[in-house]
Amino acid sequence: MHRKNGRLFHKSLTIAGLLLLTFLESVAGAVPKVKVGVLMPLTGDFAYVGEIARKSILAAVPSGDIEFIFEDSACDAKKALSGYRKLLEMDGARMFLGPCCGNELESIAPLLEKNGSLVMSLCSSTGELFMRSNGRIISPVFSIEAESQFNGDYLESEGYQNIAIVYFDNAFSVAHETAFKRTLVRAKASTYKFDKLDQEAVRDISLKLRRDAPDAIYVPDFTPFALSFARQLKRIGLGNIPLFSIHAVQTESLIGAEGSAADGIVYSHPDIGSESADAYYPARAASLLNSAIKYCGDSVSCVKQQVLGNSSLTKDGTMEGTLVLKTVKNGKFVRFLKTTGRH
């Protein structure tokens, strides 16, 4: 009896030892996930953009070599800067997705080289920002220059002579304005800036436009539409002036804010079918980063080299591809099929 119990005891010890050894080997062989900080607006007026981006990132890279750490930037330069520092210093992230707003990118750009960080932007930026950050801000989206040139070329080809550029004053829109004006040869462009986000500002800009009577309006920013700018134009008799914009307007928030007044807005958009750029760009950035991390691990310099070697990117780290014109028709976002003359 004692001999049998002894054999069972030794057998139990052997099994326990094997299990412990297997566990220790698995722990020793486990590779820690690479931490990637994600800066995006999760609160404030543009929280819907952050929520779309968050879902797209997690759907594109559901699990694997990356641990995503989300931080709210609220589309505010100061919050983006403090969020970047927190992710870098407290969470140990050196690679980042986001932020989504132009002023935020400007705030963190000077720190990236010194801290050995790499940013995959989720929104349009300029080729100049890529150079100024020494290649540490990569934007796998169409550059501001490319999109504004595309729109400027179209408006000139349609014979518009007096174009109003309307936007809320921020670095993103100012860059669009500069690139758009640079494209124009024959047409004249005048700028009207919102300096505050309220209905009084919308009314003031609309009355100035009624006074100046432009033959087209270019809005390189979603913010005026969030304040029902198109509704106000219709209200004061300017609903017949063609409205042009950029990819950011393809969102249900446009229909919510503008209702039927959104119909007829024509905007540039990557040629990606029915998917919105707000969902496509974050998924694309996350996928590119994930592929590079699978190859490089946590080596920032290696990841940077791998991403920039992707054939779908230009030499300034932005997207290469095809832009098309889309429009809003009966509350739906559809391809813009031009018939004759102006729409």
Side-chain angles (χ1 to χ4, degrees), residues 36-193:
V36 172
V38 187
L39 282 164
M40 57 177 52
L42 299 173
T43 59
D45 293 333
F46 297 97
Y48 73 93
V49 175
E51 185 57 23
I52 293 171
R54 187 186 68 82
K55 289 180 179 177
S56 297
I57 289 167
L58 294 177
V61 188
S63 61
D65 303 311
I66 295 177
E67 177 189 350
F68 292 114
I69 307 170
F70 291 87
E71 190 70 23
D72 180 24
S73 65
C75 225
D76 177 88
K78 289 182 179 178
K79 287 186 178 179
L81 183 57
S82 62
Y84 164 74
R85 285 177 169 150
K86 182 258 182 188
L87 289 166
L88 177 75
E89 296 166 7
M90 297 180 64
D91 296 309
R94 292 194 301 149
M95 289 179 270
F96 299 83
L97 288 170
C100 295
C101 304
N103 288 346
E104 297 176 313
L105 281 172
E106 293 285 344
S107 72
I108 67 174
L111 305 177
L112 302 180
E113 180 76 11
K114 180 180 71 173
N115 293 325
S117 302
L118 178 68
V119 169
M120 298 283 286
S121 173
L122 304 180
C123 67
S124 299
S125 65
T126 65
E128 184 270 338
L129 188 59
F130 172 81
M131 298 301 294
R132 186 148 47 89
S133 68
N134 197 22
R136 290 185 176 272
I137 294 179
I138 300 173
S139 300
V141 305
F142 280 102
S143 69
I144 285 174
E145 294 92 339
E147 195 163 6
S148 278
Q149 180 177 344
F150 176 82
N151 288 322
D153 286 345
Y154 176 74
L155 266 69
E156 278 231 311
S157 73
E158 289 296 288
Y160 294 107
Q161 296 293 317
N162 181 23
I163 303 168
I165 305 175
V166 178
Y167 60 82
F168 178 67
D169 197 3
N170 59 68
F172 177 87
S173 297
V174 170
H176 265 290
E177 174 201 10
T178 302
F180 182 82
K181 284 184 173 179
R182 194 185 300 130
T183 300
L184 302 179
V185 177
R186 297 175 300 278
K188 173 189 172 184
S190 303
T191 301
Y192 303 77
K193 297 182 184 180

Side-chain angles (χ1 to χ4, degrees), residues 11-39:
K11 188 175 181 180
S12 299
L13 281 179
T14 302
I15 293 171
L18 287 171
L19 289 173
L20 178 61
L21 182 61
T22 302
F23 171 75
L24 291 174
E25 285 177 345
S26 67
V27 170
V31 178
K33 292 188 176 186
V34 176
K35 293 181 178 180
V36 172
V38 187
L39 282 164

Side-chain angles (χ1 to χ4, degrees), residues 227-302:
L227 295 169
S228 303
F229 176 57
R231 282 183 193 265
Q232 176 63 18
L233 291 179
K234 288 189 75 170
R235 196 173 294 125
I236 64 172
L238 300 182
N240 62 325
I241 300 179
L243 283 170
F244 297 89
S245 193
I246 60 171
H247 69 269
V249 301
Q250 185 168 315
T251 168
E252 291 304 317
S253 294
L254 174 72
I255 309 304
E258 296 287 15
S260 62
D263 280 5
I265 295 173
V266 174
Y267 59 96
S268 51
H269 198 271
D271 190 9
I272 55 174
S274 61
E275 186 178 11
S276 75
D278 283 345
Y280 175 77
Y281 285 154
R284 175 180 164 78
S287 295
L288 284 172
L289 187 60
N290 184 52
S291 295
I293 287 174
K294 281 182 180 294
Y295 181 82
C296 299
D298 63 357
S299 171
V300 175
S301 59
C302 177

